[in-house]
Structure formats: structure tokens, C-alpha cells
Amino acid sequence: MASTETTAVTKDGAARDGGDLAGLEAGLDALETVQQGRRSFRQTFREKILPPVTAVVLVLVVWQALVSFKIVDDPTKLPAPADVWHVVQDAWLQGNLLGYIWTSVSRGLLGFFFALLIGTPLGLLVARVKFVRAAIGPILSGLQSLPSVAWVPPAVIWLGLNNKMMFAVILLGAVPSIANGLVSGVDQVPPLFLRAGRTLGATGLKGTWHIVLPAALPGYVAGLKQGWAFAWRSLMAAEIIASFPDLGVGLGQLLENGRNASDMAMVFEAILLILIVGIAIDLLIFSPLERWVLRSRGLLVKS
């Protein structure tokens, strides 16, 4: 009889312990789960739209104040915002504005695509093969720190004034950043992931595709973002220095045309367009990609 009661008490205690553990687990899960409904338009406007709009308005106000109060009273040095707007409007009405943008954007994206095809396997090779890392790793770091404009003169001499020269400068600017970003991402992959992958039979190319690349995504995406920044800067430098009628008029060439004509309104038009394109590419491509990587790791709550 005593044994039966002892067994019942033991079972009851185990049941309570199990219930306590289940409750604790549920509580921890609740702590990790952020309950957030769909954002209202007012909240989205306040948190996402209003801050950058406010910043742009403040810049325009300060700019206009510098001109109106004659702090900078030479229009050849600082044109009024209205003057720049008139130049942009004229380029739009003449049908040239989209041509300027497309000439540069098409070159930049195509060159970045080629850099992606070269930089990704190169980064994997440097990250996974010790001899290659010892031989090429320092060179990639040195190339990444080299100003992109330094490649324009030799590229012109080697390839001439054509689109091949433009793409060569983009590749030399973007490939080191993409490769180094992937190397950094691979270096941060926990060794436990690699051992688990080998245990499950994920070796060689399978291990690289299913284990290494997914785990290295944060560093790789950071390298891609930096690679695009270098590609865009390299292209602008090439368009400014290597101007030729057969190459068409891109944003860099537009900037150089404004300088040659001493037209500061045109210079500011080119600068603003270059800035807008850079921001647009980041918002449309790289920011969503970064959010997707963070969500896949549970570091960002989907809103």
C-alpha cells in the first residue's frame, strides 16, 4: 500500500515537473516572439517616410538661406535650388534626363553583374584554400583600398575609349570588395556547422552550397553592398575622365560637361542625380536583401 502511494506521489511530482518545464518553455517562446500586427499608414509615414522627407526639406531650406541671405552671393559657385530645378526640368522636357540616367545605370548594373560572377567564386577560393589566401588575399585587400580613379588611365591605354574600358574599371573596383566580403562571411561560419554538414554528407560542392554559403550570407551581402558602391564610384570616375561622343552621355559625363561650361546648375543636377540613383539602388535591391537575410535568422520581425 505504501509502495503504491509512493509511486502515485512520484508520478504526480513528475507530472508537475513536466508541466512546469512545459510552462517555462512556453514562456521562453513567448519572450522570443514579438507580437506585432500590420503597421498602419500613419505609423509607416511617421517612422519611414517623414524622417527622410524632413531631412531633404532642411537641406533645401539651408541651401536656399545661403543664397537668399547672400552668405554665398556668387551664383557661379552656388546656384539657387530653383535654378537647379529648371535645369532638371529642361532636361526632362528635351527627353534627355532618362537617357543620362539609363546610360549610367545600365553600365553600372551590367558591370556589377560581371563582378558578381567573378568575385563570388574568387572569394570562395580564397576563403577555402590556404595557399590561395596566402597568395591572393593581401592583393585583394590592397586593390580594395586603391582609389578607383587610378584604374581609368591604364584602362584607357589598354582598351581604348569604349564600353570595355568602363566595365574593366567597374570590375577592378567591385570584385575585391565582393570577394573580401565573402571571405569575411566564410571566416565567421561556426566550425560546428561544418562538422554537422560533413556528418550529414554535405562535403565538397554540396557543403559549400548548403552549409557555407547560407551561413556566410551576412558578410556576403555586406560585400555586395560595398561592391556596388565601389562599382558606382568607379563608373562615375571613368565617365568623368574618359569622355567620348560614341560612349553617350551618362551622369559622370554630364557632371564633366557642367564643369567645362562653368554651369554650376548643371553640375548640381548631375550630383543630385548620381545621389538619387545610388539611394534608389540601395532601397530597391540591397535593403530588401539585408532584411530578408536578417528575417531568415530571426533577427528582424516581419512587419
Side-chain angles (χ1 to χ4, degrees), residues 112-132:
F112 180 73
F113 175 73
F114 290 142
L116 187 64
L117 293 181
I118 297 173
T120 300
L122 179 61
L124 283 173
L125 192 63
V126 172
R128 304 293 285 173
V129 181
K130 292 183 178 180
F131 176 79
V132 176

Side-chain angles (χ1 to χ4, degrees), residues 168-293:
V169 173
I170 293 173
L171 290 176
L172 290 168
V175 167
S177 295
I178 296 174
N180 280 330
L182 185 52
V183 170
S184 177
V186 172
D187 288 345
Q188 296 176 29
V189 176
L192 180 62
F193 289 8
L194 302 178
R195 290 197 296 269
R198 286 194 293 268
T199 301
L200 297 174
T203 58
L205 291 178
K206 284 185 178 181
T208 300
W209 181 254
H210 294 288
I211 305 297
V212 176
L213 279 178
L217 267 181
Y220 184 44
V221 171
L224 292 181
K225 189 173 182 178
Q226 190 178 49
W228 164 252
F230 275 91
W232 189 238
R233 294 174 188 173
S234 302
L235 176 60
M236 292 301 103
E239 289 185 351
I240 290 172
I241 297 175
S243 58
F244 193 66
D246 291 346
L247 292 174
V249 180
L251 297 177
Q253 179 62 57
L254 179 66
L255 182 62
E256 180 66 8
N257 290 345
R259 186 193 70 84
N260 291 332
S262 297
D263 187 346
M264 283 302 296
M266 184 182 295
V267 169
F268 271 83
E269 173 197 19
I271 291 173
L272 291 175
L273 290 176
I274 292 170
L275 180 62
I276 289 170
V277 169
I279 293 173
I281 294 295
D282 181 71
L283 291 177
L284 295 175
I285 298 177
F286 294 106
S287 290
L289 186 58
E290 285 179 326
R291 288 196 298 269
W292 175 77
V293 172

